[in-house]
Amino acid sequence: VMPPVLLPQTPKASASAAQASAARVQTFEAAIGLDPWDVAAWDGRLREAVQEGKPGPVFERAVKQFPSSARIWTAYAEWSESQEGDEAALTVYERCLRQGPSL
């Protein structure tokens, strides 16, 4: 079976995708506003932020809300490593360990 061929997006399709992403972000932010402990909303918001290529501020909000969530800290560190290298990831891990040494 041949993999599908990915064609470049047309400007119209790209604009439509951006609008859909913005709508999802609004939905996730509204859900977080209503219930700051809504893990599914945070997961969706983080996923959108990573796809946008600028999740740093959203990760910061998430680790502030869930300081003992090893899963969020690990995702943040892995993203930092992929974008900024080992030192950035180590900085995130060190912050995580200061929050809760058992993580």
Side-chain angles (χ1 to χ4, degrees):
V1 174
M2 297 287 292
V5 176
L6 299 177
L7 300 175
Q9 288 189 342
T10 63
K12 186 176 181 180
S14 183
S16 177
Q19 288 172 336
S21 176
R24 287 190 301 272
V25 166
Q26 265 189 324
T27 300
F28 293 133
E29 287 290 346
I32 291 167
L34 290 172
D35 179 7
W37 301 104
D38 184 342
V39 174
W42 278 104
D43 283 344
R45 182 63 185 99
L46 284 165
R47 191 172 41 255
E48 289 296 322
V50 168
Q51 288 176 354
E52 292 170 350
K54 46 188 173 196
V58 181
F59 272 121
E60 287 295 327
R61 289 174 47 214
V63 297
K64 184 176 179 183
Q65 182 65 30
F66 301 100
S68 61
S69 174
R71 183 173 59 86
I72 294 174
W73 281 107
T74 300
Y76 191 7
E78 288 173 352
W79 176 82
S80 295
E81 181 179 27
S82 73
Q83 299 299 307
E84 302 168 12
D86 294 343
E87 287 298 317
L90 286 174
T91 299
V92 172
Y93 281 125
E94 287 170 358
R95 287 180 53 210
C96 170
L97 291 174
R98 282 195 297 269
Q99 289 291 325
S102 63
L103 296 177

